[in-house]
């Protein structure tokens, strides 16, 4: 299969890294044509309303603490490659510094799940608990991204960097919002519940989880004055698993980033009630989520398309070595019916495609996971 990240794209992106300039290489669903964003510095949150040609990245938090930044398309690939000014002042190790994060053990995960199920006993809420899986490999991040992106053509795919958050790779199936400025119309989806593909009926645990997400999104949009319509239930595949999904449409004049700050993080990545679930997450999870579970996307003249940052990893450079550390994130909704072993397996299935790309087993990835999305 033809590469997506061809030589010039990679060369320009690596030159940005050498200067610690923010950049993003983006592929929208079904597209094989890249969008390239690069600049000397990121846009502040308050500047995003005035820029209609940028990549948006945020971090996991509540309301304004998500602190979205923009990477404008100030520099083209050709402009970067022709730039002779100055020398490379940073190394990969400088801009992808290795953290003290470590893989979540089953014991740690079990303790957190036990705490959450106890807190939620007899209640209708849920909390999304994630775990971290760290893979160490000498595979170049741009090669990982190319393999991963080609295997999930229906996802929103990006490899991006800012000095604030580092280097990330993502292929997400979950749309947060798609807003058409001309028609003043918004599309989104509620996406929750996970199972292996081929099962017949959704169990009560997954149905309860999904209903919470749908009600939250509809309620949030209606509070802004938008007229909301919810489509029928459908199954949305992601490799060997699938999610329960409803397509949602709404009409009204809005500012998309402002709505994103209200919708995100959705109950699908945080929980419900949101504030209580968020406080449980930040006190119970040992690792920092950073961009995982936040929103990313693109803003142009016609529309804003923002996605939930799932099926992703952060990339770090090992000092004094040719290897990289890939920090992968996977989570699931925990309610009073959750079982640790099942949640552990579910999160493993979610992250396995990206692990496979890191280990360069492209044949297994294409055969096992290229199943529609």
């Amino acid at each position: 299969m033809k590469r997506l990240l061809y030589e010039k794209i990679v060369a320009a992106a690596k030159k940005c890294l050498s200067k610690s300039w923010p950049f993003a290489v983006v592929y929208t669903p079904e597209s094989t044509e890249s969008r390239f964003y690069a600049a000397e510095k990121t846009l502040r949150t308050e500047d995003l309303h005035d820029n209609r040609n940028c990549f948006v990245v945020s971090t996991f938090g509540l309301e304004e603490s998500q602190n979205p930044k923009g990477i404008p398309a100030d520099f083209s690939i050709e402009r970067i490659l022709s730039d002779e000014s100055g020398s490379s002042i940073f190394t990969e190790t400088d801009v992808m510094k290795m953290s003290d994060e470590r893989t979540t053990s089953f014991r740690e995960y079990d303790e957190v799940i036990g705490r959450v199920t106890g807190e939620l006993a007899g209640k209708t809420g849920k909390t999304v608990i994630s775990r971290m899986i760290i893979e160490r490999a000498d595979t170049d991040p741009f090669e990982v991204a190319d393999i991963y992106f080609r295997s999930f053509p229906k996802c929103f795919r990006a490899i991006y960097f800012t000095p604030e958050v580092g280097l990330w790779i993502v292929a997400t199936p979950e749309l947060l919002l798609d807003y058409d400025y001309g028609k003043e119309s918004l599309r989104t989806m509620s996406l929750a519940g996970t199972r292996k593909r081929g099962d017949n009926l959704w169990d009560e645990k997954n149905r309860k989880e999904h209903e919470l997400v749908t009600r939250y999104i509809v309620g949030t949009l209606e509070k802004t004055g938008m007229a909301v319509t919810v489509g029928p239930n459908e199954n949305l595949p992601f490799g060997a698993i699938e999610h329960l999904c409803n397509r949602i449409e709404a009409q009204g004049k809005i500012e998309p980033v402002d709505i994103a700050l209200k919708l995100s993080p959705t109950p699908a990545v945080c929980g419900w009630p949101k504030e209580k679930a968020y406080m449980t997450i930040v006190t119970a999870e040992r690792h920092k989520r950073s961009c995982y579970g936040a929103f990313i996307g693109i803003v142009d003249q016609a529309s804003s398309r923002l996605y939930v940052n799932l099926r992703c990893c952060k990339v770090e450079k090992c000092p004094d070595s040719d290897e990289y550390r890939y920090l992968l994130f996977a989570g699931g909704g925990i309610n009073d019916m959750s079982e640790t072993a099942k949640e552990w397996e579910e999160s493993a299935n979610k992250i396995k495609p990206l692990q496979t790309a890191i280990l360069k087993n492209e044949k297994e990835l294409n055969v096992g996971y290229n199943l529609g999305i």
Side-chain angles (χ1 to χ4, degrees):
M1 190 184 298
K2 184 179 178 182
R3 290 182 63 89
L4 292 178
L5 288 164
Y6 60 85
E7 187 176 343
K8 280 190 176 181
I9 296 176
V10 174
K14 288 189 173 182
K15 193 164 186 179
C16 287
L17 278 175
S18 76
K19 295 177 177 291
S20 199
W21 286 352
F23 76 87
V25 183
V26 181
Y27 296 86
T28 56
E30 304 283 15
S31 176
T32 57
E33 298 296 322
S34 66
R35 295 183 179 218
F36 186 81
Y37 302 85
E40 287 192 36
K41 60 181 181 179
T42 54
L43 297 171
R44 299 172 300 172
T45 302
E46 54 266 34
D47 297 326
L48 291 176
H49 295 166
D50 300 321
N51 190 294
R52 289 283 192 90
N53 189 16
C54 68
F55 178 82
V56 178
V57 55
S58 66
T59 53
F60 184 77
L62 296 179
E63 299 287 343
E64 286 74 17
S65 69
Q66 296 172 84
N67 195 24
K69 304 279 190 182
I71 304 175
D74 287 352
F75 302 146
S76 66
I77 291 173
E78 291 72 21
R79 159 73 172 79
I80 291 170
L81 294 178
S82 65
D83 183 15
E84 301 292 340
S85 62
S87 59
S88 298
I89 57 176
F90 295 94
T91 66
E92 283 186 311
T93 305
D94 290 330
V95 297
M96 293 187 280
K97 293 179 181 178
M98 197 166 78
S99 66
D100 60 359
E101 299 280 19
R102 56 182 172 80
T103 295
T104 307
S105 70
F106 184 84
R107 179 184 60 79
E108 291 170 327
Y109 188 71
D110 184 48
E111 288 176 357
V112 175
I113 300 302
R115 167 184 163 177
V116 174
T117 53
E119 291 176 351
L120 293 175
K123 301 176 183 178
T124 58
K126 76 162 189 172
T127 301
V128 177
I129 295 299
S130 68
R131 65 184 177 103
M132 176 177 284
I133 303 96
I134 297 179
E135 294 286 354
R136 186 164 173 158
D138 61 3
T139 317
D140 184 271
F142 292 92
E143 185 174 2
V144 171
D146 186 73
I147 294 170
Y148 193 39
F149 293 174
R150 286 186 282 117
S151 296
F152 291 92
K154 293 188 178 181
C155 287
F156 178 85
R157 298 147 291 165
I159 179 168
Y160 65 89
F161 166 83
T162 77
E164 297 90 352
V165 301
L167 182 67
W168 287 74
I169 299 169
V170 56
T172 175
E174 185 168 354
L175 177 71
L176 181 66
L177 66 87
D178 181 355
Y179 186 71
D180 185 307
Y181 290 101
K183 296 179 180 178
E184 295 185 353
S185 63
L186 179 147
R187 292 188 306 110
T188 184
M189 62 170 63
S190 61
L191 187 73
T194 303
R195 67 182 186 183
K196 290 183 178 179
R197 296 185 67 179
D199 289 351
N200 293 321
L201 298 174
W202 286 95
D203 60 24
E204 183 181 0
K205 184 262 182 187
N206 278 296
R207 284 189 285 105
K208 285 174 62 176
E209 182 181 341
H210 178 71
E211 288 167 5
L212 280 172
V213 177
T214 304
R215 289 202 303 268
Y216 167 76
I217 293 174
V218 170
T220 301
L221 294 176
E222 288 181 338
K223 286 178 183 177
T224 70
M226 302 189 86
V228 183
T229 304
V230 180
N233 287 352
E234 61 181 273
N235 297 333
L236 189 69
F238 184 88
I241 60 176
E242 62 186 0
H243 304 289
L244 192 55
C245 174
N246 289 107
R247 311 282 179 174
I248 300 171
E249 297 184 358
Q251 290 289 139
K253 188 173 183 178
I254 61 163
E255 177 52 56
V257 172
D258 291 346
I259 297 298
L261 289 171
K262 296 181 183 299
L263 287 174
S264 178
T266 70
V269 292
C270 182
W272 182 260
K274 184 159 73 170
E275 290 75 13
K276 181 176 176 56
Y278 177 78
M279 291 308 301
T280 298
I281 289 167
V282 297
T283 56
E285 291 184 356
R286 186 188 52 76
H287 55 272
K288 294 180 181 179
R289 289 194 177 190
S290 185
C291 294
Y292 169 68
F295 64 88
I296 56 171
I298 54 177
V299 177
D300 58 32
Q301 291 296 323
S303 64
S304 287
R305 280 164 285 175
L306 304 176
Y307 293 78
V308 181
N309 199 345
L310 299 174
R311 313 296 187 265
C312 60
C313 69
K314 182 180 180 182
V315 187
E316 299 177 345
K317 186 70 176 69
C318 300
D320 305 319
S321 168
D322 292 332
E323 291 187 319
Y324 299 89
R325 286 211 323 165
Y326 292 88
L327 283 59
L328 302 96
F329 300 81
I334 308 303
N335 59 26
D336 60 348
M337 302 172 67
S338 297
E339 300 174 24
T340 300
K342 290 183 179 179
E343 298 297 334
W344 182 268
E345 181 182 8
E346 177 183 309
S347 59
N349 288 331
K350 288 176 178 177
I351 211 63
K352 189 174 181 181
L354 185 47
Q355 284 180 300
T356 307
I358 291 167
L359 300 175
K360 295 174 62 175
N361 195 341
E362 188 170 359
K363 182 177 179 182
E364 178 183 335
L365 188 61
N366 287 331
V367 171
Y369 297 98
N370 193 6
L371 301 172
I373 200 166

